[in-house]
Amino acid sequence: MSDKFDNVSVGKKANVFFDGKCVSHSVFFPDGSRKTVGVILPGSQLTFNVGAPELMEITSGTCDVKIAGEAAFKTYTAGTSFKVAENGSFDIHAKDEVNYVCSFG
Amino acid sequence: MSDKFDNVSVGKKANVFFDGKCVSHSVFFPDGSRKTVGVILPGSQLTFNVGAPELMEITSGTCDVKIAGEAAFKTYTAGTSFKVAENGSFDIHAKDEVNYVCSFG
């Protein structure tokens, strides 16, 4: 997995969640799609409610994640990913600084 | 000032400073130059030491800034900017959520 996205547009205004425990910037692709590149600070225990379906790709760090409807938390590390259904939610516990790429739809 | 940078590359890993009080992502331009798009959380009072000269353009929010060598703090808001000399430093106090673009060199 490359450490950059090329030939994109990037939003100058950050997306700040949970008082800064999660911060991302929006990335826009030539095909009109959007992703975010984001970070979750170490020790954060957050619950995200999603609208459109989301693919969360962990690019660095370790986190425990429980997706709504699943029985237990699973551990995700760099190079792994999980999907969240439309209007779903997930709990994420960052063991250290977690970087991710979120894709929508 | 546009709210996006077009035709760029963006790093997937965030730059995290002061335990997350400042978070940015790196943006790479076709001419080889680099900028960061970043956010400073409300109430943060930070001191940055710089290597290469920096141009800090505030894109949203209000902050008080004292550049090393200057006698007093000055207030900067969206659309204003300040320069920091090579190997200089600056104190920045975020009155609210401050977004910025930092250019180097």
Side-chain angles (χ1 to χ4, degrees):
Chain A
M1 184 190 282
S2 158
D3 62 356
K4 290 202 297 277
F5 285 121
D6 295 317
N7 190 30
V8 294
S9 297
V10 62
K12 294 179 183 177
K13 194 168 196 311
N15 313 303
V16 178
F17 305 96
F18 303 106
D19 297 327
K21 291 189 181 70
C22 175
V23 174
S24 69
H25 282 93
S26 296
V27 182
F28 306 91
F29 290 75
D31 65 4
S33 64
R34 177 178 78 98
K35 297 178 190 289
T36 57
V37 287
V39 63
I40 298 173
L41 299 182
S44 301
Q45 297 195 347
L46 312 174
T47 298
F48 286 93
N49 298 302
V50 312
E54 290 186 8
L55 169 67
M56 284 282 289
E57 298 171 276
I58 306 304
T59 53
S60 79
T62 301
C63 53
D64 292 336
V65 174
K66 190 162 95 64
I67 300 164
E70 290 189 357
F73 279 83
K74 290 181 194 160
T75 299
Y76 292 87
T77 55
T80 65
S81 62
F82 59 91
K83 288 185 175 177
V84 187
E86 188 171 27
N87 299 320
S89 68
F90 64 97
D91 300 320
I92 184 163
H93 296 174
K95 299 293 170 197
D96 48 22
E97 183 180 295
V98 172
N99 280 269
Y100 66 85
V101 171
C102 180
S103 307
F104 303 88
Chain B
M1 182 189 284
S2 159
D3 64 353
K4 290 204 294 279
F5 284 122
D6 296 316
N7 189 31
V8 294
S9 297
V10 60
K12 295 178 183 178
K13 194 169 195 311
N15 312 303
V16 178
F17 304 96
F18 302 106
D19 297 328
K21 293 189 178 72
C22 175
V23 174
S24 69
H25 282 93
S26 297
V27 182
F28 306 90
F29 291 74
D31 66 2
S33 64
R34 178 178 78 99
K35 297 178 190 288
T36 57
V37 287
V39 63
I40 298 174
L41 299 182
S44 301
Q45 298 195 346
L46 312 175
T47 299
F48 285 93
N49 298 301
V50 312
E54 291 186 6
L55 169 66
M56 284 282 289
E57 298 171 277
I58 306 302
T59 53
S60 79
T62 301
C63 52
D64 292 336
V65 175
K66 189 162 96 63
I67 300 164
E70 290 190 356
F73 280 84
K74 291 181 192 159
T75 299
Y76 293 86
T77 56
T80 66
S81 62
F82 60 91
K83 288 186 176 178
V84 188
E86 187 171 26
N87 299 321
S89 69
F90 64 98
D91 300 321
I92 184 163
H93 296 174
K95 299 295 172 196
D96 49 21
E97 183 180 292
V98 172
N99 279 270
Y100 67 84
V101 171
C102 182
S103 307
F104 303 88

